Amino acid sequence: MSKIAVVLTDLFEDVEFTDPKEAFEKEGHELTVIENEKGKTVTGKQGEAKVTVDASIEDVKPEDFDALLIPGGFSPDQLRGDQRFVDFAKYFMDYDKPVFAICHGPQLLITAKALEGRNATGFKSIQTDMEYAKAKLHDEEVVVCNNLVTSREPDDIPAFNHESLKQLAK
């Protein structure tokens, strides 16, 4: 069983959190939702998912987790304005711990300057930003580069979950 940190705030893409969460928990993994305020309820941009925050970014250390999930939507763009979340994500990349970023999720990794030389993908509107960050961009449903698993959009979730679970099984 792995402990997976999930960085999340309002306006996340609902299914990019709920579907991986379901897949990970089905395999016995434990997720901890992290935001600024423990106990706060964050709402997905579709309004379908409401999630209670398990821990404040102030109260967690990346070394206490085995992997990181970054769902898309507007959440990663908001989180990357807070250096604590940038540093948290960078730790996972620096220490080769599994990182699962879908859709706009790679925005947090762009700000962490953690994509240079890495094969990756992301939502169409951030692909140019990923190229500026010196990622090796691929327009595929899922791209695995060592510890990093990235996908483009909600339609890619089955492949994203499959490859993410393979990383957790290592």
Side-chain angles (χ1 to χ4, degrees):
M1 178 186 85
S2 295
K3 290 178 66 176
I4 304 169
V6 184
V7 290
L8 199 68
T9 195
D10 286 312
L11 301 175
F12 61 92
E13 184 62 55
D14 302 60
V15 296
E16 293 173 2
F17 169 72
T18 58
D19 284 14
K21 176 184 186 295
E22 182 180 314
F24 295 157
E25 288 180 342
K26 184 178 176 187
E27 295 298 318
H29 303 292
E30 175 187 322
L31 282 75
T32 301
V33 175
I34 302 164
E35 205 248 10
N36 281 320
E37 185 182 336
K38 179 181 178 177
K40 176 182 175 182
T41 298
V42 294
T43 304
K45 71 178 196 154
Q46 307 303 330
E48 297 166 7
K50 294 188 185 312
V51 181
T52 301
V53 175
D54 298 311
S56 164
I57 189 71
E58 284 295 317
D59 299 329
V60 294
K61 292 184 250 167
E63 53 268 24
D64 293 337
F65 297 93
D66 304 305
L68 174 65
L69 171 63
I70 312 170
F74 298 117
S75 173
D77 191 37
Q78 294 178 72
L79 294 175
R80 71 182 178 159
D82 185 328
Q83 191 63 41
R84 298 171 301 172
F85 288 95
V86 174
D87 294 342
F88 191 85
K90 185 169 175 30
Y91 176 92
F92 287 86
M93 295 296 287
D94 288 350
Y95 288 89
D96 293 322
K97 289 187 168 193
V99 175
F100 315 125
I102 186 167
C103 197
H104 287 76
Q107 287 180 308
L108 193 55
L109 303 176
I110 290 168
T111 303
K113 298 180 180 170
L115 289 180
E116 185 172 348
R118 303 300 292 275
N119 293 302
T121 193
F123 192 69
K124 183 176 180 156
S125 66
I126 70 163
Q127 289 182 358
T128 299
D129 299 327
M130 293 177 73
E131 288 177 326
Y132 287 145
K134 299 183 178 146
K136 297 175 186 172
L137 190 66
H138 302 271
D139 188 16
E140 299 171 12
E141 67 178 357
V142 65
V143 176
V144 179
C145 183
N146 302 322
N147 63 312
L148 178 63
V149 178
T150 53
S151 283
R152 303 168 299 188
E153 59 193 12
D155 289 346
D156 300 337
I157 290 173
F160 178 75
N161 288 348
H162 177 77
E163 292 299 330
S164 297
L165 287 168
K166 279 174 58 177
Q167 286 288 318
L168 293 171
K170 288 183 179 180

